[in-house]
Amino acid sequence: MKMRKFPISTPPPMTSKKNPIHGVKKQSLLDRKWFVESLSFVPAVTAGAAASAKFFFESSYVLGWGLAIACAWTVAFSIIKVIHAKRQDERDDDLRSHDGLVAALTVVHELVARAAGLSQEEKMKCLRATFHRVVPPVGESDEIEQIVNYVGGAGDGAGRKFPIRSGITGQAIRENAVFVMDRQSDAYEDYKKELIRHWHYTEKDIRSITSDRFSAIAVPIQSRNGQQVIGVVYLDSSKKNFFSSDAVKEAVANGCWGIARYTGERYV
């Protein structure tokens, strides 16, 4: 397997917000505002309804009706609070979503596929694109996480984690440079041995590696101060030497500058 630096400059850091690139873990039910609001009014309404029934049973109708009206008011107000909390949860979900990043990667995928002259069927089978974040704390982390499913291929992969020590993604992050990998052997067993022997993969890491990839490229994305790498754009192909042509190189470079601009405005 050959690995070499790619002769293009890395995308520059962009002015950005102070939101870190978050992972793909979804919020639990207890983290949902609407669920907490739903639980909060149950004891008060239950106690009020029980007291109201007691007063009616004892023929204290004024107090009974007063408590009944108070319970009805509490229920109505609580329903409004739950609706409001649910809308806040939906806004939070939008903020946690990586849909914009998927859209940007789809554009990059299309640019590269067109530059390589791939047909509609070919581009979905032989070319994949995704994004890995450096798991915080950035600068001290030893792990990256794939935060979106692949664009192309089987369309899976989100949530997988890899060590920074291994492969071209790790190399791109550690050296803040673009790297290309070209696999030489058709034999997958030889390929696995080479990954372990020369590129610091473990047997466990190998289990998540796709067997039919022969070319790959990793492009680091910098933090706003340009001092750290916060993520990496990764593309791979089942075609040999896929990223060797000048047209494909230019498409990757242009597309990743767009990704850098988006991540700078959306994340750290």
Side-chain angles (χ1 to χ4, degrees):
M1 182 175 69
K2 292 182 179 178
M3 187 181 293
R4 63 188 186 277
K5 285 188 178 181
F6 201 41
I8 61 171
S9 59
T10 58
M14 299 291 178
T15 302
S16 63
K17 299 179 180 180
K18 297 181 180 180
N19 302 321
I21 300 181
H22 50 270
V24 297
K25 183 179 179 181
K26 294 183 178 180
Q27 288 183 313
S28 68
L29 194 60
L30 290 176
D31 292 326
R32 296 287 180 176
K33 296 181 179 67
W34 71 265
F35 182 71
V36 176
E37 290 289 355
S38 298
L39 293 179
S40 64
F41 74 87
V42 172
V45 171
T46 301
S52 176
K54 181 176 182 295
F55 283 125
F56 276 119
F57 182 77
E58 295 175 351
S59 300
S60 299
Y61 297 112
V62 174
L63 291 175
W65 278 113
L67 279 172
I69 293 171
C71 284
W73 176 268
T74 301
V75 169
F77 182 68
S78 296
I79 290 173
I80 293 173
K81 289 181 68 177
V82 169
I83 293 172
H84 180 68
K86 189 171 179 59
R87 289 176 178 173
Q88 285 184 312
D89 286 331
E90 290 171 352
R91 287 194 291 268
D92 290 342
D93 286 341
D94 288 340
L95 290 175
R96 291 184 60 82
S97 169
H98 295 300
D99 288 349
L101 187 54
V102 173
L105 286 166
T106 301
V107 173
V108 175
H109 184 268
E110 184 67 27
L111 284 172
V112 175
R114 287 176 178 267
L118 299 179
S119 67
Q120 184 71 21
E121 183 178 1
E122 283 181 318
K123 74 181 180 183
M124 297 310 295
K125 286 185 177 181
C126 81
L127 180 63
R128 304 188 303 178
T130 191
F131 189 92
H132 299 270
R133 71 165 184 148
V134 177
V135 177
V138 175
E140 302 174 14
S141 178
D142 58 1
E143 194 173 43
I144 61 174
E145 179 187 14
Q146 184 177 345
I147 59 174
V148 295
N149 287 327
Y150 282 106
V151 176
D156 56 359
R160 298 190 304 167
K161 293 184 178 181
F162 302 90
I164 282 181
R165 69 174 185 277
S166 59
I168 64 168
T169 50
Q171 194 85 357
I173 291 168
R174 294 195 308 272
E175 298 191 25
N176 192 14
V178 184
F179 279 87
V180 169
M181 178 278 288
D182 289 311
R183 175 177 156 191
Q184 303 300 304
S185 175
D186 291 339
Y188 184 51
E189 290 302 318
D190 292 341
Y191 177 49
K192 290 197 296 184
K193 291 176 183 178
E194 192 172 357
L195 289 174
I196 294 171
R197 186 181 305 116
H198 298 295
W199 302 110
H200 313 294
Y201 281 88
T202 65
E203 290 286 352
K204 181 180 178 181
D205 299 334
I206 292 296
R207 297 191 194 110
S208 60
I209 300 296
T210 306
S211 62
D212 66 345
R213 300 293 105 176
F214 283 87
S215 299
I217 185 170
V219 183
I221 302 298
Q222 300 176 34
S223 62
R224 59 179 175 174
N225 59 15
Q227 300 299 311
Q228 298 169 324
V229 177
I230 60 172
V232 59
V233 178
Y234 173 84
L235 296 94
D236 64 22
S237 175
S238 58
K239 291 181 177 291
K240 291 184 177 181
N241 303 311
F242 182 84
F243 299 101
S244 297
S245 76
D246 290 339
V248 170
K249 291 176 185 177
E250 184 177 1
V252 171
N254 291 340
C256 286
W257 278 56
I259 293 282
R261 179 176 179 180
Y262 174 77
T263 55
E265 293 175 353
R266 173 69 173 80
Y267 306 108
V268 172

